[in-house]
Amino acid sequence: MAKDIEILGDKTALIERGLGLVEQKIASAIQERGQCTIALAGGSTPKPLYEALAHKSLPWEKIHVFWGDERYVAPTHPDSNEKMAREAWLNKVNIPASNIHAMPTGAGNPAVDAKKHEQELRSFFSVKEGEIPIFDVILLGIGDDGHTASLFPQTEALKVRDCLVTVGNKDSEPRLTFTVPLINHARCVIFLVAGENKQPALGQIFAEIADEYQYPARLIQPQGDLYWLLDNTAGAKINY
Ligand code: 6PG
């Protein structure tokens, strides 16, 4: 699917558009398959979207929430993506606890927890080794360096093709992350990007030619729909 690039007037408009798109995709997933599986982005950009979802009346029992990546910290740690989404949204709605599938970070070994989460995904989606689950929606952001999820430039995680979840590394800091094949199997991937600091990376991500291992977001070419929602500052220099 060709990428759909939208440059919104400001960050508020970006979040509004993202909210509308997420609601639309949730509704169509439930209508077509009886449930919706959505994987969340971490970082700061999506937080207002999660806060807005907390005010929506949705069939929460039919919505299963995952994370596309996680810092390797306890869910009580201020850096935890799980903590952010629970406090902004999930703690405020009547979603069954069993519908929240956080990435485990308690084994003291990221590779062990990555494998554990992979097993949870395989069990939930009823897919065996060699098969790849299809998420209805995966939300992503990009860093100033062009990373997405915890797929950082020039790291081994970018090359993993035989797992669903692997260990990413931001400098020496371990992370858990969905792999490129898992993200690219999604029915819909939505990038939410705001801020002038993202302009250089976006220029490389959208360039005709650039090193995809230096700008990992270039590797995200899902079989389903791909939306790039940019605010006016991030998208100021994008010709599309
Ligand atoms: C994370 C994210 C990461 C994030 C980008 C953008 O765990 O930090 O998953 O990929 O989306 O770094 O972060 P901001 O939205 O804070 O700019």
Side-chain angles (χ1 to χ4, degrees):
M1 192 261 178
K3 57 177 171 283
D4 172 295
I5 301 174
E6 299 179 29
I7 299 177
L8 289 307
D10 57 17
K11 185 164 177 195
T12 301
L14 165 68
I15 296 302
E16 276 302 310
R17 172 62 176 138
L19 178 65
L21 198 48
V22 165
E23 285 186 279
Q24 176 197 323
K25 297 298 181 181
I26 288 173
S28 55
I30 291 172
Q31 186 179 352
E32 292 163 23
R33 288 173 294 280
Q35 69 174 20
C36 175
T37 53
I38 180 170
L40 306 183
S44 57
T45 303
K47 185 175 178 182
L49 193 158
Y50 303 156
E51 289 168 340
L53 280 166
H55 297 287
K56 295 294 177 181
S57 172
L58 297 176
W60 300 114
E61 73 286 353
K62 294 179 180 172
I63 297 170
H64 286 267
V65 177
F66 302 76
W67 279 259
D69 76 315
E70 185 56 277
R71 292 82 183 276
Y72 201 64
V73 295
T76 52
H77 190 285
D79 289 351
S80 166
N81 290 335
E82 175 189 350
K83 180 179 193 294
M84 185 273 274
R86 284 185 184 275
E87 290 176 352
W89 166 25
L90 300 172
N91 292 349
K92 300 175 181 174
V93 296
N94 192 22
I95 185 169
S98 57
N99 284 32
I100 300 173
H101 309 267
M103 287 185 157
T105 59
N109 179 330
V112 168
D113 276 320
K115 202 73 203 149
K116 185 176 171 189
H117 195 53
E118 171 138 351
Q119 292 313 321
E120 177 176 1
L121 293 181
R122 290 196 179 286
S123 165
F124 177 85
F125 285 94
S126 303
V127 297
K128 52 185 182 298
E129 289 295 328
E131 295 176 342
I132 300 178
I134 301 177
F135 275 85
D136 292 306
V137 185
I138 296 182
L139 302 180
L140 293 172
I142 63 163
D144 299 5
D145 60 358
H147 82 260
T148 190
S150 281
L151 299 164
F152 288 90
Q154 309 300 351
T155 57
E156 283 310 302
L158 301 181
K159 298 174 184 165
V160 174
R161 294 290 180 275
D162 57 352
C163 298
L164 305 178
V165 184
T166 192
V167 179
N169 281 286
K170 179 178 185 176
D171 307 326
S172 58
E173 175 201 333
R175 306 266 187 105
L176 299 187
T177 185
F178 280 8
T179 58
V180 171
L182 177 56
I183 295 171
N184 281 343
H185 264 68
R187 289 189 179 87
C188 176
V189 171
I190 303 171
F191 279 94
L192 299 162
V193 185
E196 194 172 358
N197 56 312
K198 305 292 172 76
Q199 279 181 11
L202 279 174
Q204 294 298 316
I205 291 163
F206 293 153
E208 196 69 30
I209 297 171
D211 179 358
E212 55 195 12
Y213 289 101
Q214 188 59 41
Y215 298 96
R218 287 178 70 89
L219 292 165
I220 306 307
Q221 306 287 341
Q223 64 175 351
D225 298 335
L226 173 58
Y227 295 88
W228 281 89
L229 304 184
L230 317 176
D231 80 345
N232 58 325
T233 55
K237 295 184 178 164
I238 299 300
N239 302 312
Y240 63 99

